[in-house]
C-alpha cells in the first residue's frame, strides 16, 4: 500500500468508425504515495489519455488501474464518480471553472457533489481560497480573474474534499512565469503536507523538480530517458 | 451551493432564450386556461338560460336538431313555420300553458339584438315578468316595443324613446325588470306586429309549454304529438343536447390549446438540447468533480420541469386575465352569446388551476427526458476534451 497508483498492462484504443487508433499500448507503472511525479512526453503520445485512465475519467480497453487500493476497472459508474469526488483533485490546463459561478461557488460545487451540507460549504470554500491566497477574490467570477488566479481557484476546488491525489494536466501551460511560480509554490507546500502530486507537463523545468518522471512515448511508459531510448519498459 | 441554485443559475444565463422558451409554454397553457374558462362559463350560461326559459317543453318545427335548440336558448333567428292554427290546437290541450314565440333578429345602432314576437298577456303570465318602467304591451297588434332591462340600459332607451325595426320606428312602451336571462337583451314586439314586420304571415318559430304536473311530462309530449305533426322536446333533452354541442366545442378548443402546449414542449426540448451542447464541457467538469450520471440527469430534468412550472403559473395568470379582458368583446353568435352578457366570467375552480400548472410541469418534464438523457450519457473525457 505504499503505492497510491498501480497500473498493469494498460491499453486504450480509440475507435472512430472502423478505424482503431491505439493511444496506450500496454503501460505498467507505479506511483508512490506522497510523491511528486511528472508525466512527460511529446504531444499526442498518450500522456492525457494516461492521466484520464489514472483518474477514472475514462476506462481502459484492457489492463487494470488501482488507486488507493481500489481497483477502478471493477467499479460501476456511480462508484467511480465517488472515487473522483473523494480521492482525486483534478486540475486542467484551461482551468475549467464554471464561468457563471463565483470563485467561492466553484469550490462549493465540489463540496456539494461530495455531499457536504450547504451550511458547511461556505466556510470550507473560504478556507481553501485563503489557502491559495484568494480570500479577497471569493466573490469574483472567473472572467474577472487573471489566468494565474483562475488556476489557483481550480486548485482550491481540487483540494475541496481533501483528496490524497492531485492529478494535473499542464496546469501552468497557459500561464506566465510569475503565475507559474505561484502555482508551483502552492504545489510544493501541498506535496510537503503529504499530498501525492501527479503532473502532466511539457515543461522541463518543472519536470526537473519531480521525484519521479514517467516518460510516455508511442503509447508506452518508460522510467528514464535511457530506458526510453532503449525501449526498456517499466517492469 | 445546491442543486436548485445551480439549476436557476444555468437556466437564466441565456436571458433571451429563457424568456422565449418560457413565453412558449406560457402561451400554450394560457390558451388552454382561456378555453377552459370560456368553456366553463359557456356551460354555466347554458344551464341558466335553460332555466330562464321557464318552459318544461318546447314545440319546434318538425326535424329540428340541436342547433335550433341552441338558438332557442340564445335568441337567434329561427325558421318560422308553425302556424297559429297549430298553436291553437296545442293550446287547447288540457293540463298545460302554451305561448307562441316568433324569434327574429334586428339591430339597434348597428348592434345585433334578438327580437321576439309574443302575445303580451300570455307571455307575462308565463314568465312572471315585472315591468320596471312604463307599461306592458296591451294588444297583439299594438305598434310598440317592450325592452329587456339590459337592452334598455345598453342603448339608453326609456319609455317614450324609439326603436327602428325593419325600417319602422316603434315607440318604447315599457322596460322589463332584470330577469338574469337572455330576455334582458331582447326587444319584444306584439306578435301580430312582429309577423307583419318580418313578413312571416301567421307563423311562429316555437311554442313554449309549461306543464301543470311535471310528473306527467311524458303524457304531455304524447298528447302534443297526437295533436300536431311537430317536434316536441323537453327542457332536459334540450339541455342535454345543447350541452353536448357545448361540450364538443370545448373539446375542440382544448385540442387546439393542446397543440399549442405540444409546440411549446418541443420548444423546451430544443432549448434543453441546445443547452446540453453548450454545456458539454461543464458537464465534463461536473463529472470530474464527482457528479454521477444521475446528478447530471437530474440537473437537466429539474431545469426543464422548472420551465413547465413557471410557464404554468404565468400561463394560468395570463389565461385568466385574457379571459376577463376578452370575454365581453366576443362577437355574438349562437355559441359565444352565452358568454357575452352573462355578467362576468366565473373563475375556474382551484382544482382546474392547479391541474393546469401540474399539466404544464408534467409536459415539461417529459420534454426534458431526452435532453437530460443525452447530457447524462456524455463521457467525462468526451465532455472535457470538447472545445
Amino acid at each position: 500500500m505504499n503505492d497510491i497508483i498501480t497500473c498493469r498492462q494498460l491499453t486504450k484504443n480509440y475507435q472512430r468508425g472502423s478505424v482503431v487508433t491505439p493511444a496506450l499500448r500496454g503501460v505498467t507503472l507505479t506511483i508512490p504515495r506522497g510523491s511528486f511525479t511528472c508525466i512527460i512526453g511529446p504531444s499526442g503520445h498518450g500522456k492525457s489519455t494516461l492521466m484520464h485512465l489514472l483518474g477514472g475519467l475514462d476506462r481502459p480497453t484492457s489492463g487494470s488501474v488501482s488507486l488507493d487500493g481500489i481497483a477502478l476497472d471493477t467499479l460501476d459508474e456511480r462508484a467511480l464518480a465517488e472515487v473522483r469526488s473523494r480521492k482525486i483533485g483534478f486540475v486542467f490546463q484551461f482551468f475549467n471553472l464554471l464561468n457563471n459561478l463565483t470563485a467561492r461557488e466553484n469550490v462549493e460545487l465540489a463540496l456539494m457533489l461530495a455531499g457536504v451540507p450547504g451550511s458547511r460549504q461556505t466556510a470550507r470554500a473560504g478556507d481553501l481560497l485563503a489557502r491559495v491566497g484568494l480570500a479577497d477574490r471569493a466573490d469574483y467570477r472567473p472572467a474577472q480573474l487573471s489566468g494565474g488566479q483562475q488556476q489557483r481557484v481550480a486548485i482550491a476546488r481540487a483540494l475541496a474534499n481533501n483528496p490524497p491525489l492531485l492529478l494535473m494536466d499542464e496546469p501552468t501551460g497557459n500561464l506566465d512565469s510569475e503565475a507559474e511560480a505561484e502555482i508551483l509554490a502552492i504545489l510544493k507546500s501541498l506535496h510537503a503536507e503529504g499530498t501525492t502530486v501527479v503532473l502532466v507537463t511539457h515543461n522541463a523545468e518543472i519536470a526537473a523538480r519531480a521525484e519521479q518522471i514517467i516518460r510516455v512515448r508511442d503509447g508506452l511508459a518508460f522510467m528514464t530517458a535511457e530506458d526510453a531510448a532503449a525501449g526498456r519498459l517499466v517492469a | 451551493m445546491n442543486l436548485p441554485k445551480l439549476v436557476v443559475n444555468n437556466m437564466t444565463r441565456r436571458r433571451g432564450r429563457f424568456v422565449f422558451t418560457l413565453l412558449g409554454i406560457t402561451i400554450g397553457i394560457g390558451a388552454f386556461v382561456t378555453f377552459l374558462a370560456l368553456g366553463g362559463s359557456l356551460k354555466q350560461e347554458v344551464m341558466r338560460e335553460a332555466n330562464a326559459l321557464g318552459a318544461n317543453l318546447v314545440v319546434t318545427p318538425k326535424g329540428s336538431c340541436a342547433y335550433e335548440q341552441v338558438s332557442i336558448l340564445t335568441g337567434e333567428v329561427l325558421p318560422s313555420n308553425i302556424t297559429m292554427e297549430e298553436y291553437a290546437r296545442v293550446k287547447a290541450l288540457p293540463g298545460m300553458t302554451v305561448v307562441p314565440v316568433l324569434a327574429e333578429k334586428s339591430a339597434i345602432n348597428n348592434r345585433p339584438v334578438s327580437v321576439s314576437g309574443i302575445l303580451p298577456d300570455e307571455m307575462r303570465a308565463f314568465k312572471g315578468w315585472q315591468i320596471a318602467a312604463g307599461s306592458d304591451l296591451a294588444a297583439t297588434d299594438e305598434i310598440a316595443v317592450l325592452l329587456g332591462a339590459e337592452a334598455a340600459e345598453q342603448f339608453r332607451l326609456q319609455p317614450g324613446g324609439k326603436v327602428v325595426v325593419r325600417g319602422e320606428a316603434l315607440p318604447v312602451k315599457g322596460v322589463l325588470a332584470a330577469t338574469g336571462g337572455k330576455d334582458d337583451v331582447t326587444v319584444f314586439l306584439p306578435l301580430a306586429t312582429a309577423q307583419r314586420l318580418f313578413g312571416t304571415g301567421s307563423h311562429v318559430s316555437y311554442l313554449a309549454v309549461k306543464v301543470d304536473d311535471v310528473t306527467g311530462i311524458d303524457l304531455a309530449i304524447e298528447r302534443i304529438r297526437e295533436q300536431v305533426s311537430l317536434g316536441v322536446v323537453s327542457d332536459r333533452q334540450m339541455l342535454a343536447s345543447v350541452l353536448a354541442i357545448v361540450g364538443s366545442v370545448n373539446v375542440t378548443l382544448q385540442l387546439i390549446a393542446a397543440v399549442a402546449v405540444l409546440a411549446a414542449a418541443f420548444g423546451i426540448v430544443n432549448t434543453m438540447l441546445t443547452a446540453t451542447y453548450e454545456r458539454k464541457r461543464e458537464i465534463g467538469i461536473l463529472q470530474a468533480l464527482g457528479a454521477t450520471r444521475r446528478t447530471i440527469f437530474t440537473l437537466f430534468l429539474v431545469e426543464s420541469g422548472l420551465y413547465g412550472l413557471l410557464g404554468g403559473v404565468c400561463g394560468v395568470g395570463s389565461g385568466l386575465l385574457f379571459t376577463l379582458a376578452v370575454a365581453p368583446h366576443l362577437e355574438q353568435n349562437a355559441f359565444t352569446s352565452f358568454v357575452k352578457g352573462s355578467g362576468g366570467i366565473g373563475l375556474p375552480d382551484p382544482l382546474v388551476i392547479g391541474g393546469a400548472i401540474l399539466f404544464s410541469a408534467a409536459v415539461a418534464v417529459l420534454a426534458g427526458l431526452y435532453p437530460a438523457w443525452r447530457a447524462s450519457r456524455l463521457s467525462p473525457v468526451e465532455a472535457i476534451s470538447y472545445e
Side-chain angles (χ1 to χ4, degrees):
Chain A
M1 276 301 291
N2 220 12
D3 295 326
I4 193 161
I5 292 178
T6 312
C7 61
R8 307 235 160 269
Q9 289 305 319
L10 214 49
T11 69
K12 179 71 184 176
N13 297 333
Y14 289 112
Q15 188 155 7
R16 180 168 289 178
S18 60
V19 184
V20 177
T21 314
L24 293 181
R25 301 190 294 150
V27 169
T28 297
L29 57 79
T30 56
I31 295 173
R33 189 178 297 277
S35 69
F36 192 128
T37 300
C38 278
I39 300 175
I40 62 171
S43 293
H45 281 239
K47 294 192 305 293
S48 293
T49 301
L50 178 57
M51 193 194 103
H52 293 152
L53 294 181
L54 297 184
L57 285 172
D58 208 350
R59 289 178 186 274
T61 304
S62 68
S64 66
V65 182
S66 143
L67 192 155
D68 209 11
I70 305 165
L72 298 189
D73 32 308
T74 64
L75 299 181
D76 64 9
E77 190 271 331
R78 180 190 287 247
L80 205 54
E82 174 90 7
V83 166
R84 290 196 296 261
S85 172
R86 297 182 185 280
K87 299 284 185 188
I88 309 168
F90 287 99
V91 176
F92 302 93
Q93 180 176 1
F94 296 103
F95 324 133
N96 278 348
L97 299 175
L98 267 62
N99 292 324
N100 278 69
L101 304 180
T102 64
R104 187 199 306 280
E105 288 168 338
N106 265 283
V107 179
E108 286 177 356
L109 196 61
L111 293 163
M112 173 192 105
L113 290 170
V116 176
S119 53
R120 296 222 308 271
Q121 288 177 13
T122 310
R124 170 85 179 136
D127 289 348
L128 288 162
L129 287 170
R131 169 82 210 260
V132 296
L134 289 174
D136 57 338
R137 294 285 189 274
D139 295 320
Y140 284 48
R141 286 174 197 278
Q144 299 167 299
L145 299 172
S146 70
Q149 289 170 331
Q150 288 187 54
Q151 195 60 302
R152 282 190 273 157
V153 174
I155 291 174
R157 185 178 67 183
L159 296 174
N161 300 305
N162 270 324
L165 173 67
L166 274 186
L167 271 181
M168 306 191 164
D169 193 357
E170 300 271 15
T172 61
N174 226 23
L175 301 178
D176 60 33
S177 53
E178 197 183 328
E180 180 180 298
E182 286 169 0
I183 300 292
L184 290 177
I186 293 170
L187 294 187
K188 196 174 168 189
S189 82
L190 287 171
H191 176 226
E193 289 167 20
T195 306
T196 309
V197 178
V198 176
L199 209 154
V200 172
T201 186
H202 272 111
N203 188 321
E205 243 176 275
I206 298 175
R209 305 183 186 202
E211 296 168 344
Q212 170 177 271
I213 295 178
I214 294 167
R215 286 158 213 276
V216 175
R217 182 170 296 176
D218 290 329
L220 295 169
F222 308 94
M223 294 307 285
T224 65
E226 294 75 38
D227 289 345
R232 271 199 303 277
L233 293 173
V234 181
Chain B
M1 184 55 55
N2 50 46
L3 208 74
K5 205 169 152 187
L6 196 59
V7 167
V8 171
N9 187 296
N10 279 335
M11 199 171 183
T12 52
R13 69 168 79 167
R14 302 266 186 213
R15 297 262 157 78
R17 202 166 64 202
F18 169 70
V19 167
F20 288 123
T21 305
L22 199 59
L23 216 54
I25 188 89
T26 297
I27 289 170
I29 295 295
F32 195 68
V33 169
T34 302
F35 291 149
L36 223 55
L38 287 181
S41 55
L42 206 59
K43 200 169 156 184
Q44 285 172 12
E45 202 56 20
V46 169
M47 313 265 260
R48 222 178 47 166
E49 288 297 349
N51 226 6
L53 189 63
N56 309 116
L57 295 174
V58 176
V59 180
T60 57
K62 194 113 185 131
S64 292
C65 64
Y67 181 78
E68 279 79 14
Q69 296 168 10
V70 173
S71 299
I72 289 171
L73 292 186
T74 58
E76 292 297 303
V77 180
L78 279 167
S80 43
N81 48 25
I82 298 178
T83 63
M84 292 306 275
E85 190 263 333
E86 283 168 321
Y87 160 59
R89 293 215 320 251
V90 176
K91 191 174 185 245
L93 291 170
M96 59 185 82
T97 319
V98 186
V99 292
V101 179
L102 176 64
E104 292 290 349
K105 203 101 198 188
S106 183
I108 302 176
N109 301 342
N110 286 327
R111 309 223 12 206
V113 287
S114 300
V115 174
S116 288
I118 54 166
L119 298 176
D121 290 340
E122 280 88 337
M123 199 62 164
R124 188 176 55 239
F126 190 88
K127 294 249 189 179
W129 277 344
Q130 303 288 323
I131 303 294
S135 55
D136 195 3
L137 303 169
T140 94
D141 56 353
E142 192 180 1
I143 311 282
V145 302
L146 184 65
L147 291 179
E150 219 168 288
E153 195 187 315
Q154 191 181 352
F155 300 112
R156 296 168 201 282
L157 286 167
Q158 282 302 313
K162 296 238 182 243
V163 174
V164 178
V165 178
R166 287 259 160 165
E168 192 164 325
L170 308 172
V172 176
K173 195 170 179 200
V175 177
L176 286 175
T179 63
K182 73 151 174 26
D183 290 350
D184 288 351
V185 291
T186 305
V187 175
F188 295 96
L189 266 61
L191 186 56
T193 307
Q195 285 170 335
R196 177 172 61 80
L197 287 175
F198 289 94
T200 62
S202 66
H203 291 78
V204 296
S205 308
Y206 65 91
L207 308 176
V209 179
K210 205 184 272 179
V211 183
D212 295 346
D213 176 14
V214 185
T215 56
I217 204 152
D218 291 332
L219 185 64
I221 293 176
E222 277 309 304
R223 278 182 183 157
I224 296 172
R225 286 200 175 131
E226 279 166 18
Q227 204 52 235
V228 291
S229 176
L230 294 172
V232 186
V233 63
S234 75
D235 57 347
R236 285 206 180 157
Q237 289 166 347
M238 187 157 79
L239 195 60
S241 59
V242 171
L243 283 181
I245 295 184
V246 168
S248 66
V249 170
N250 282 353
V251 167
T252 309
L253 291 178
Q254 279 154 26
L255 274 178
I256 294 171
V259 170
V261 173
L262 194 69
F266 282 104
I268 293 181
V269 173
N270 193 19
T271 292
M272 294 309 297
L273 266 184
T274 311
T276 65
Y277 295 129
E278 268 179 6
R279 298 184 206 147
K280 214 167 172 181
R281 195 178 178 82
E282 292 184 14
I283 292 166
I285 297 169
L286 287 173
Q287 287 176 321
L289 293 177
T292 57
R293 289 202 163 136
R294 177 187 285 220
T295 305
I296 304 288
F297 185 82
T298 308
L299 205 57
F300 276 80
L301 201 64
V302 169
E303 181 172 340
S304 179
L306 202 55
Y307 269 115
L309 203 62
L310 284 177
V313 171
C314 295
V316 165
S318 57
L320 292 181
L321 282 179
F322 185 72
T323 305
L324 291 177
V326 86
H329 302 293
L330 283 179
E331 272 303 311
Q332 185 139 3
N333 67 40
F335 299 114
T336 57
S337 58
F338 281 123
V339 178
K340 184 169 168 149
S342 65
I345 301 298
L347 285 184
D349 71 274
L351 215 67
V352 172
I353 291 178
I357 294 172
L358 269 184
F359 172 63
S360 174
V363 165
V365 166
L366 276 178
L369 281 176
Y370 175 65
W373 179 79
R374 284 283 298 256
S376 72
R377 299 314 294 177
L378 281 172
S379 83
V381 169
E382 184 192 353
I384 285 177
S385 312
Y386 179 79
E387 299 295 334

